[in-house]
């Protein structure tokens, strides 16, 4: 009987305490994990509980809100406000930052997209939550308007056939935890996650419906992937939920591209709670998180400093093999690129 049950489960709380010795950080991750469990339950019951469809509102960035968007947002806000360790919260679903009451305030500031990819929820496609964590300075929204170099923790939770939490601390490894429904805990299942050393599977992931709007180097790079780099064409895989696309890219290899273009010159993804947290994860797993050509240069997403809580940024993320193809295309057009 004992062989069927783990009597010493390597849980999320144990990992955080062992690696940080910070009880407040343990409380924060536990509060986030609680909200992820609630969201996973709501997503799993969306059909029978009639949670599909629009809520009749729009969010801070003008997107139509789904019923699950609103519910997931409330779940995260309630969990974090009542954790006792947060002072400022920023959500994609709220136009203004949330200042936690003084009697409940703590030392962390958290930005999050409560249900990334929710436009796909009605057709039962994978969705997820993305978050970034900063330490409090003065207790205002400015505590979150800092570059990724100041981000102390970042992660995402994917809701699919399994519920997986992937996160990293600044300067540390990337770790994966899977929700074990039999005990209701996230259990450590992926240790020191890394991009495949050889670049992994030849996969490119982008919304080619925007092809006509891209700059020429991005067009050239995607054509190179389609026609074959090193003699073998790449496969196209695009879910349209950032968490799902990045999770696949991290595990299998390949490249994810959502560049700035003529239609969206600042990019489409939100810097604070999509770009920066995913960039921290990608880089600490041995990958590259580039802006592509943005504000006159090719730089790192992690070095961007948001000028507003809902500002946007472009993203090119993948292993050195595939990001190198994009950089080579920029070089051919006289654009200076960083060293790989």
């Amino acid at each position: 009987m004992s062989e069927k049950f783990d009597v010493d489960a390597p849980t999320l709380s144990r990992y955080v305490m062992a690696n940080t010795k910070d009880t407040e950080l343990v409380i924060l991750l536990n509060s986030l994990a609680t909200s992820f469990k609630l969201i996973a339950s709501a997503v799993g019951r969306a059909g029978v509980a009639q949670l599909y469809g629009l809520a009749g509102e729009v969010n801070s960035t003008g997107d139509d809100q789904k019923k699950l968007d609103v519910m997931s947002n409330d779940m995260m806000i309630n969990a974090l406000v009542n954790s006792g360790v947060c002072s400022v919260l920023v959500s994609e679903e709220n136009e203004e930052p949330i200042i936690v009451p003084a009697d409940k305030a703590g030392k962390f500031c958290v930005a999050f997209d409560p249900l990334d990819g929710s436009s796909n929820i009605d057709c039962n496609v994978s969705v997820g939550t993305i978050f970034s964590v900063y330490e409090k300075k003065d207790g205002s929204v400015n505590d979150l308007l800092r570059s990724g170099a100041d981000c102390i923790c970042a992660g995402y939770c994917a809701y699919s056939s399994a519920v997986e939490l992937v996160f990293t601390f600044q300067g540390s490894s990337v770790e994966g935890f899977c929700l074990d429904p039999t005990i209701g805990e996230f259990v450590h299942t992926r240790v020191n996650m890394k991009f495949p050393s050889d670049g992994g599977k030849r996969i490119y992931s982008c919304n080619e419906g925007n092809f006509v709007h891209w700059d020429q180097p991005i067009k050239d790079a995607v054509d190179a992937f389609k026609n074959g780099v090193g003699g073998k064409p790449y496969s196209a895989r695009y879910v349209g939920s950032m968490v799902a696309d990045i999770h696949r890219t991290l595990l299998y290899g390949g490249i994810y591209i959502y560049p700035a273009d003529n239609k969206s010159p600042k990019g489409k993804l939100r810097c604070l709670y999509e770009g920066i947290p995913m960039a921290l994860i990608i880089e600490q797993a041995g990958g590259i998180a580039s802006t592509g050509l943005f504000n006159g240069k090719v730089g790192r997403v992690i070095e961007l400093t948001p000028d507003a809580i809902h500002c946007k940024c472009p993203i090119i993320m993948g292993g050195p093999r595939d990001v190198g193809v994009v950089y080579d295309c920029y070089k051919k057009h006289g654009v200076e690129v960083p060293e790989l």
Side-chain angles (χ1 to χ4, degrees), residues 10 26 62 85 98 117 140 143 152 180 198 202 234 240 257:
V26 174
V85 297
I98 299 162
S140 75
D143 289 348
I152 65 168
D180 183 345
D198 63 352
R202 293 172 177 263
Y234 280 44
I257 305 171

Side-chain angles (χ1 to χ4, degrees), residues 269-283:
L269 300 170
R270 283 73 184 183
C271 186
L272 184 56
Y273 43 80
E274 290 177 325
I276 286 175
M278 288 303 197
L280 186 60
I281 291 168
I282 291 295
E283 287 198 355

Side-chain angles (χ1 to χ4, degrees), residues 3-268:
E3 293 178 357
K4 297 181 181 179
F5 294 92
D6 189 348
V7 297
D8 191 28
T11 63
L12 174 66
S13 298
R14 179 192 292 188
Y15 175 84
V16 177
M17 178 57 77
N19 285 273
T20 69
K21 302 295 190 291
D22 187 333
T23 54
E24 289 179 280
L25 200 52
V26 174
I27 292 171
L28 175 64
L29 267 296
N30 273 342
S31 298
L32 285 166
T34 297
S35 66
F36 301 154
K37 295 172 194 176
L38 290 168
I39 294 169
S41 177
V43 169
R45 297 181 62 246
V48 295
Q50 298 183 351
L51 297 177
Y52 290 141
L54 298 174
E57 302 171 12
V58 296
N59 65 14
S60 62
T61 51
D63 298 326
D64 288 328
Q65 284 184 313
K66 301 278 187 148
K67 293 175 184 177
L68 276 171
D69 280 321
V70 176
M71 183 177 290
S72 301
N73 191 46
D74 290 344
M75 288 170 173
M76 291 201 69
I77 292 172
N78 290 335
L80 293 172
V81 166
N82 291 293
S83 69
V85 297
C86 296
S87 61
V88 183
L89 307 177
V90 164
S91 168
E92 182 186 29
E93 306 303 327
N94 292 73
E95 187 171 350
E96 299 295 330
I98 299 162
I99 306 300
V100 178
D103 61 329
K104 294 183 177 180
K107 70 177 185 179
F108 298 115
C109 304
V110 185
F112 55 90
D113 181 349
L115 202 62
D116 172 73
S118 60
S119 61
N120 286 323
I121 193 68
D122 290 1
C123 60
N124 205 23
V125 170
S126 300
V127 291
T129 301
I130 312 171
F131 65 92
S132 58
V133 181
Y134 293 76
E135 283 200 271
K136 171 184 172 182
K137 284 194 172 182
D138 60 15
S140 75
V141 69
N142 291 328
D143 289 348
L144 283 160
L145 299 180
R146 294 144 68 186
S147 82
D150 292 324
C151 181
I152 65 168
C153 176
Y156 62 81
C157 188
Y159 312 110
S160 186
S161 54
V163 179
E164 285 202 64
L165 168 62
V166 174
F167 76 95
T168 187
F169 296 122
Q170 182 72 248
S172 186
S173 57
V174 177
E175 306 294 329
F177 294 76
C178 189
L179 179 62
D180 183 345
T182 64
I183 61 173
E185 291 284 350
F186 281 98
V187 177
H188 202 181
T189 52
R190 300 186 190 273
V191 179
N192 193 17
M193 298 171 69
K194 291 287 187 184
F195 264 89
S197 58
D198 63 352
K201 294 185 178 181
R202 293 172 177 263
I203 296 172
Y204 75 97
S205 181
C206 59
N207 183 355
E208 289 195 72
N210 292 325
F211 187 92
V212 68
H213 302 292
W214 293 340
D215 61 29
Q216 195 57 47
I218 295 295
K219 291 180 179 179
D220 291 347
V222 171
D223 280 338
F225 292 133
K226 292 165 70 173
N227 295 323
V229 176
K232 185 177 181 181
Y234 280 44
S235 298
R237 299 285 185 273
Y238 184 68
V239 178
S241 295
M242 187 187 189
V243 168
D245 283 316
I246 291 293
H247 192 55
R248 182 200 59 246
T249 302
L250 177 58
L251 293 176
Y252 290 176
I255 187 168
Y256 175 80
I257 305 171
Y258 214 126
D261 57 31
N262 295 331
K263 186 174 68 172
S264 302
K266 291 187 177 296
K268 190 72 181 294

